[in-house]
Amino acid sequence: MPDNAHVIGTDPVAAARALRRGGLVALPTETVYGLAADATNADAVRRIFAVKGRPADHPLIVHVADAHGLDAWAARVPDYGRLLATAYWPGPLTLIFPKLPQVLDVVTGGQATVGLRVPAHALTQTVLHELGTGVAAPSANRFGRVSPTSIDHVLADIGPLLGDADYLLDGGPCTVGVESTIVDCTGDAPRLLRAGAVTVDMIEQTTGLDVLAADGTIRASGTLASHYAPRATVRVREADAFEPLDGAGLIAPSRLGTPAGMVRLLDAEDDGAYARGLYSALRAADEHGLHELIAVLPADAGIGSAIRDRLRRASH
Ligand code: TXA
Ligand code: MG
């Protein structure tokens, strides 16, 4: 047991109670773990930034129980935004809308928009229904580090910074493993801000609209060049350009064997397993004290696109 006094458990009602009292809660979602506060409690939300070491102008996603949250937080929802919410919530999709006036500046980083998501994890669904309002939550890692996909990752990163009013809800390993797709819904057509398990093809099929590329006019910390980075230097390679490197870590699909002298960190039988195991593997590189690792990229399709995006950022 660590000597700090926060509680780790599997009780969503206790987690909701902690949120109502203004505490922070590590919340499991299907993508990654979040560090949550009641989104209507400015002091609680401010503590998230302190614990993470996150700049105050980086907006937080508001997690809501269901699509009714659209009307409670968003000022204007275009038809295509409603189609996306209906098709993919609960799920790994965050939608950005103009915010209602009552949405706190501390949540939105002073921006005029709010990010909304309905996570699919059953325990977190119960927390949100119990609480009856939204929770603001970034990924539960220190700023700039790899997102946590298990409660052990959360404990290692921020456990020592939490106190006895806080609660860590253990929902097991995350089933998707990379952060949600983020779609800006403030314009005439959907704009992709971050790739995730909901792909551009899925968004275009659902809305019948072409998806625009991110143009940098909206701030999103996940889009900083260097993010999701372990201490080890990450080198990305296409499968046909891979060459072994003695003493380095290896993240690669299973069909690629492990060359002698390399440390296998991830052996993914398919792209889903690649996504689920990716952040554990990046953390393992640091635990092994490796200076370098080579990541052999999956094909640019399905969740493979999100994996390629995160590895590119990790390699900066
Ligand atoms: O899967 C996920 O999205 C996880 C889980 C916990 O929900 N959350 C997550 O949060 O990855 P975070 O804060 O690490 O990344 C959220 C990204 C940031 O890049 C933030 O800048 C962007 O979403 N974002 C949030 N609200 C926004 C807004 N109003 N406009 C533009 N970007 C926004
Ligand atoms: Mg994050």
Side-chain angles (χ1 to χ4, degrees), residues 7-15 26 28 33 121-124 126-127 151 167-172:
V7 181
I8 305 173
T10 57
D11 180 4
V13 177
Y33 275 75
H121 196 288
L123 288 180
T124 291
T126 304
V127 173
I151 203 74
Y167 191 90
L168 289 97
L169 184 60
D170 183 358

Side-chain angles (χ1 to χ4, degrees), residues 12 27-28 64-66 89-91 118-131 169:
L27 217 50
V64 293
D66 54 42
W89 284 354
V118 178
H121 196 288
L123 288 180
T124 291
Q125 275 284 321
T126 304
V127 173
L128 292 170
H129 279 105
E130 274 287 318
L131 186 66
L169 184 60

Side-chain angles (χ1 to χ4, degrees), residues 5-6 21 47 70 106 125 133 135 154 168 176 197 229 237 308:
H6 57 256
R21 284 194 308 249
R47 244 190 90 219
L70 286 173
V106 66
Q125 275 284 321
T133 187
V135 300
V154 177
L168 289 97
V176 174
R237 296 287 182 266
R308 293 170 68 93

Side-chain angles (χ1 to χ4, degrees), residues 2-316:
D3 54 5
N4 46 308
H6 57 256
V7 181
I8 305 173
T10 57
D11 180 4
V13 177
R17 208 181 302 127
L19 288 165
R20 213 172 284 122
R21 284 194 308 249
L24 301 187
V25 169
L27 217 50
T29 85
E30 74 277 32
T31 56
V32 302
Y33 275 75
L35 180 64
D38 176 344
T40 63
N41 182 334
D43 288 335
V45 174
R46 238 173 255 121
R47 244 190 90 219
I48 293 177
F49 289 88
V51 167
K52 275 194 62 117
R54 176 167 166 132
D57 62 352
H58 284 244
L60 304 180
I61 296 169
V62 176
H63 298 70
V64 293
D66 54 42
H68 293 301
L70 286 173
D71 306 309
W73 298 87
R76 187 164 31 84
V77 179
D79 290 342
Y80 72 81
R82 236 170 251 284
L83 287 172
L84 290 172
T86 304
Y88 301 112
W89 284 354
L93 177 66
T94 297
L95 302 174
I96 311 283
F97 301 104
K99 75 177 187 78
L100 282 171
Q102 61 267 32
V103 182
L104 298 175
D105 275 344
V106 66
V107 170
T108 64
Q111 302 194 61
T113 55
V114 62
L116 297 176
R117 163 155 125 82
V118 178
H121 196 288
L123 288 180
T124 291
Q125 275 284 321
T126 304
V127 173
L128 292 170
H129 279 105
E130 274 287 318
L131 186 66
T133 187
V135 300
S139 51
N141 52 284
R142 304 266 312 151
F143 182 67
R145 309 297 306 177
V146 178
S147 292
T149 51
S150 75
I151 203 74
D152 289 340
H153 295 170
V154 177
L155 266 175
D157 253 28
I158 60 166
L161 302 169
L162 298 179
D164 57 8
D166 304 324
Y167 191 90
L168 289 97
L169 184 60
D170 183 358
C174 298
T175 54
V176 174
V178 294
E179 302 82 352
S180 61
T181 305
I182 303 182
V183 177
D184 173 8
C185 299
T186 62
D188 292 337
R191 185 180 296 274
L192 184 74
L193 299 185
R194 184 172 70 185
V198 174
T199 62
V200 168
D201 283 352
M202 292 161 76
I203 297 165
E204 292 187 337
Q205 277 206 351
T206 299
T207 63
L209 298 169
D210 288 336
V211 173
L212 307 173
D215 65 359
T217 57
I218 292 188
R219 246 187 342 254
S221 69
T223 65
L224 292 178
S226 167
H227 213 74
Y228 313 102
R231 279 180 286 275
T233 301
V234 179
R235 302 185 193 287
V236 296
R237 296 287 182 266
E238 299 293 347
D240 57 11
F242 167 66
E243 283 174 26
L245 180 63
D246 205 44
L250 178 64
I251 291 178
S254 296
R255 62 190 147 71
L256 227 94
T258 311
M262 293 195 78
V263 181
R264 191 77 183 216
L265 301 169
L266 180 68
D267 194 350
E269 70 268 20
D270 56 34
D271 289 353
Y274 202 137
R276 277 192 299 282
L278 177 60
Y279 289 156
S280 285
L282 293 178
R283 284 168 185 268
D286 287 343
E287 282 154 21
H288 283 88
L290 298 175
H291 298 294
E292 285 185 299
L293 75 86
I294 294 183
V296 178
L297 296 167
D300 189 6
I303 199 161
S305 303
I307 296 169
R308 293 170 68 93
D309 169 72
R310 301 309 189 277
L311 280 169
R312 286 250 161 67
R313 294 179 199 290
S315 73
H316 267 88

